[in-house]
Amino acid sequence: MASSSTSLKRREQPMTREGDQLIVTPLGAGNEVGRSCVYMSFRGKTILFDCGIHPAYSGMAALPYFDEIDPSTIDVLLITHFHLDHAASLPYFLEKTTFKGRVFMTHATKAIYKLLLTDYVKVSKVSVEDMLFDEHDINKSMDKIEVIDFHQTVEVNGIKFWCYTAGHVLGAAMFMVDIAGVRILYTGDYSREEDRHLRAAELPQFSPDICIIESTSGVQLHQSRHIREKRFTDVIHSTVAQGGRVLIPAFALGRAQELLLILDEYWANHPDLHNIPIYYASPLAKKCMAVYQTYILSMNDRIRNQFANSNPFVFKHISALNSIDDFRDVGPSVVMASPGGLQSGFSRQLFDIWCSDKRNACVIPGYMVEGTLAKTIINEPKEVTLMNGLTAPLNMQVHYISFSAHADYAQTSTFLKELMPPNIILVHGEANEMMRLKQKLFTEFPDGNTRIMNPKNCESVEMYFNSEKMAKTIGRLAEKTPDVGDSVSGILVKKGFTYQIMAPDDLHVFSQLSTATVTQRITIPFSGAFGVITHRLGKIFESVESSTDEETGLPALKVHERVTVKQESEKHISLQWSSDPISDMVSDSIVALVLNISREVPKIFVEEEVAVKSEEENGKKVEKVIYALLVSLFGDVKLGENGKLVISVDGNVAHLDKESGDVEGEHEGLKERVRVAFHRIRSAVKPIPLSAE
């Protein structure tokens, strides 16, 4: 196996080992965080992992580099979770490109996907020309999305895939793909740490050949969950105690639910805070909670056990807030508002109002994408630009307390050591962080057997796998283990990249195919002695069995126990066999032999006998024609005594002598009509007589 990094356009060049070439190309999230989208192709199959947008850009600039690929060639599109940077360009890709493959995500992801993207369309402050899609496109895309359960194996066009729990957010999945025995694990965003409501990411039971893994946190190490929670609640408590307001910018779904669980529990344990309101400010607030309540069983044991007594997502100290118009800003309060990057929406409106008051605080709880206001204020600039274009002093306290559900270095290195994939491809990370992670991982795998790559957007990683074809015997053929050198005879069935050998009778059991028998029959002119055929066939085939046909009593042969040869008449023989390659060859050789015999046998005829036979045959033909024409004229014509024809019309009867042409009967009119008709018919059908000379 070998690997290299090249431009995506090189896929169009002829490759000497193209059948075994595997290509991985980030169309987004290559040396960046945002617009996750990874293209992969192997042995004529193509997959797209994720389909997001870049939150720092708008319009077409926010999309992955779709123009680098032909969407119509994509077989399967797999979405790991509902976050905008992983799923928000899906309506555009499904409705406005030539993509006609199949798209899969988990049940919870599909439920939240529609809510989140509908809200994204409403709050996006872009021109109509820059709108990538509308609510109609989202609704149409829902009909095309198929759902997959965790650990359920799905096969599409020879591509097998299944998914594992990824932690991170509700419904998040890691996908394992198997093409022709080569396994690729795409982690998406994942976390190996269990939090208040989500399970930790699973460790796949199979070691993949390639692991495409996120590198968001780089070499950073997260503080323990308890320390982070204490810092978070201490900052909020001290701020509201001095009369300040706390803004927590967070996306409506994901980390928001984790933080709400922390706040509700903290308020319950501190009665002195009960007069301080907490608001969950999002148009999606109630709908989001309904989704989380629906998928309680997808969460960890702590939440499920608590749900047996009370619903943990029915908060006692937190109120939903649909818009800023409903908000009464009259004193200390805590507001969690979306979006998390402070680009627009409710969180940005509150920030513009509160940023100049030093009593207030902004707690940023998650990862900040480059280019967003949240990333800017972490560096504590003296002034910020408001949405109206004016500048204002930044006096409020800014705290970054990461509750990011991304794997840190400890989780990533441990995860990779347990899997030991020979090829690691880093995606979804800022360039500098990704390079530091790559260098540190090299120290974790010093043996040199592990390749670590970090391609940029549109830069392809090419690898080659020497895949061997192996066929498994199943059914009756597998009942006995063959010895070395034995031949195994059966039907080879190929499905995708798997091969199976089975007995014909097992075909309908182990596949969707069934067997059928085609019986062929051919008649050949042959006027020679049947014994000549028997003699000649005996010289060619070892097995020629003579018999007598039970129906006709005429001689028959069974050649090679496959083809039956019968004498149908003095001038014809017939061949009948069940079609298969060997029987077809045997029958072809018999036909050739019979035709050669016919050419070799001398043709000796007696002229008088031939003339007599011809005259007799012509006489019979003339009688048939005369009879048919009389029937067409008179209707009821029957053969009577002494060979005379009896003709009946309307109760009147006439008797016609075929030899003399005389007609007898009581009705003179009928007699005359029959006589005239007979003479005309006979003169018309009789051959023209020879002249006297």
Side-chain angles (χ1 to χ4, degrees), residues 27 49 67 119 134 178 188 215 232 250 269 326 341 352 374 386 400 409 422 467 475 520 540 560 614 619 626 638:
L27 303 180
F49 296 105
D67 52 348
D119 180 62
D134 55 24
D178 186 317
S215 52
F232 178 68
N269 295 331
D326 301 329
D352 286 3
L386 306 179
Y400 174 53
Y409 178 74
S467 56
Q520 299 200 63
I540 299 174
H560 223 54
S614 297
I626 291 173
K638 296 178 181 178

Side-chain angles (χ1 to χ4, degrees), residues 53 60 144 152 164 173-174 183 266-267 291 300 310 397 402 412 422 496 537 565 568 586 651 665 675 680:
I53 60 164
M60 298 295 286
K144 298 177 182 178
Q152 174 193 355
Y164 302 98
M174 298 186 290
R183 292 194 179 105
Y266 188 80
W267 247 243
V291 171
N300 58 25
S310 63
Q397 300 297 311
S402 176
T412 298
L537 289 175
V565 184
E568 295 291 334
V586 172
R675 184 169 53 251
R680 288 178 177 176

Side-chain angles (χ1 to χ4, degrees), residues 302-488:
R302 177 182 179 277
I303 290 291
R304 284 184 290 174
N305 293 335
Q306 188 177 341
F307 185 71
N309 300 318
S310 63
N311 192 328
F313 290 103
V314 176
F315 300 116
K316 297 177 181 178
H317 304 283
I318 299 170
S319 305
L321 199 60
N322 291 326
S323 71
I324 198 167
D325 297 330
D326 301 329
F327 178 51
R328 294 182 61 205
D329 190 9
V330 293
S333 62
V334 179
V335 181
M336 183 178 297
S338 61
L342 292 172
Q343 312 97 293
S344 59
F346 203 171
S347 62
R348 181 58 183 270
Q349 291 173 306
L350 287 177
F351 176 84
D352 286 3
I353 298 170
W354 292 350
C355 67
S356 300
D357 191 336
K358 64 180 181 181
R359 294 177 301 169
N360 300 336
C362 179
V363 179
I364 299 175
Y367 183 83
M368 298 150 297
V369 177
E370 288 289 344
T372 60
L373 178 62
K375 184 73 172 180
T376 301
I377 65 173
I378 282 294
N379 298 320
E380 298 184 357
K382 293 182 178 180
E383 293 183 336
V384 290
T385 302
L386 306 179
M387 282 195 295
N388 59 15
L390 301 176
T391 58
L394 179 61
N395 295 326
M396 73 187 313
Q397 300 297 311
V398 179
H399 302 272
Y400 174 53
I401 305 173
S402 176
F403 285 89
S404 174
H406 293 275
D408 65 358
Y409 178 74
Q411 295 178 36
T412 298
S413 58
T414 303
F415 185 69
L416 291 173
K417 282 180 186 177
E418 291 177 333
L419 283 179
M420 291 301 292
N423 301 281
I424 300 170
I425 299 177
L426 303 178
V427 295
H428 199 281
E430 300 298 343
N432 293 334
E433 287 292 334
M434 190 181 287
M435 186 57 69
R436 292 191 195 98
L437 175 61
K438 180 179 178 179
Q439 296 302 325
K440 197 162 184 179
L441 285 176
F442 273 129
T443 65
E444 301 282 357
F445 302 96
D447 55 4
N449 294 326
T450 303
R451 292 176 173 83
I452 304 173
M453 295 150 278
N454 58 324
K456 299 176 182 178
N457 285 337
C458 304
E459 183 181 7
S460 294
V461 173
E462 298 175 0
M463 288 165 275
Y464 293 89
F465 291 88
N466 297 321
S467 56
E468 296 182 357
K469 293 181 180 178
M470 180 179 67
K472 296 181 180 179
T473 56
I474 59 174
R476 299 180 189 180
L477 295 182
E479 292 176 356
K480 180 184 176 183
T481 304
D483 296 326
V484 177
D486 286 356
S487 297
V488 178

Side-chain angles (χ1 to χ4, degrees), residues 26 126 176 253 256 292 330 402 596 631:
V126 295
M176 181 78 82
L253 286 151
Y292 269 70
V330 293
S402 176
N596 283 329
V631 169

Side-chain angles (χ1 to χ4, degrees), residues 590-616:
I590 296 173
V591 170
L593 182 143
V594 171
L595 294 176
N596 283 329
I597 293 174
S598 297
R599 285 197 295 268
E600 293 170 3
V601 174
K603 298 176 176 61
I604 302 173
F605 301 103
V606 180
E607 290 185 4
E608 286 123 8
E609 292 179 355
V610 173
V612 170
K613 288 183 178 180
S614 297
E615 190 173 344
E616 289 177 354

